[in-house]
Amino acid sequence: MILIFGFRARAKNVGHGEFFCAHCGADRSYVLQHIRRWFTLFFIPIFPAGRVLGEQVKCTTCGSAYRPDVLNAPTSAAFSENLRGATRVAAVAMLAAGDVRNEAARTAAVDAARRAGSGSYDDSWLANDLSAIDASQLEMYLVPLAQGLSLPGKESFVEQVARVGLADGALSPAESRVIESIGAQLGLSAAHLRGIVVSTPGGPPAVAPGDGPPESTPGG
Ligand SMILES: [Zn+2]
């Protein structure tokens, strides 16, 4: 009788959970697998031979395999939740840097939170947030946005916050500092931030010092 034996890599499920699958483009279930070499007899795995060779995360929907560090990225549900939180904290920080009683500024803060997905957000929620939110939490919220938001997404985030500051007039030095600190954490340059603020409705006119006023255009 001829014995046919050999070795074969085999994956064993050692964990599971939810992750963002780049191939599916959505949140999916995964299994975390350990890859080991198994001794086989007649092609049937008999026992594991040696240590774990590697780990992989496998999407249970499409079967794509990823390195385990894919689990460090937030799911899209977690990311959206964080974006909602970041918008509220940033809007409150901006409001607190200016006049918290200004009605236009409060309305802009409520609008920003609603646009970010907190549909039932209103002025009484805002009052709660103003007393409960510590603006130093903002940094914690911005870290995932710095990694996960596209450039237009970052610009739109800054614009939402700038609207709150601009609602009661030009940005005060304290309000500008809020924008600068958000911009720095999102990796946007000072010039880029000025451009976003200038193009925000209610922002200062886009005339650099030394430029003539727009109405001086000859033949106009
Ligand atoms: Zn998938």
Side-chain angles (χ1 to χ4, degrees), residues 1 3-10 36-49:
M1 179 179 173
L3 283 182
I4 301 176
F5 63 89
F7 291 94
R8 184 173 123 192
R10 241 188 136 205
R36 279 182 108 163
R37 240 163 38 123
W38 281 63
F39 176 78
T40 60
L41 193 59
F42 294 109
F43 310 106
I44 297 165
I46 304 296
F47 56 83

Side-chain angles (χ1 to χ4, degrees), residues 5-87:
F5 63 89
F7 291 94
R8 184 173 123 192
R10 241 188 136 205
K12 185 186 171 199
N13 297 351
V14 294
H16 58 90
E18 283 260 303
F19 82 127
F20 181 81
C21 174
H23 187 259
C24 292
D27 293 346
R28 296 289 189 230
S29 304
Y30 71 82
V31 287
L32 178 66
Q33 299 181 319
H34 279 174
I35 315 285
R36 279 182 108 163
R37 240 163 38 123
W38 281 63
F39 176 78
T40 60
L41 193 59
F42 294 109
F43 310 106
I44 297 165
I46 304 296
F47 56 83
R51 57 191 175 81
V52 173
L53 298 175
E55 263 190 335
Q56 67 179 15
V57 168
K58 203 166 177 186
C59 173
T60 58
T61 302
C62 70
S64 297
Y66 300 91
R67 292 215 313 256
D69 59 10
V70 74
L71 299 181
N72 297 337
T75 60
S76 60
F79 188 79
S80 305
E81 183 59 38
N82 183 76
L83 181 59
R84 279 196 288 279
T87 306

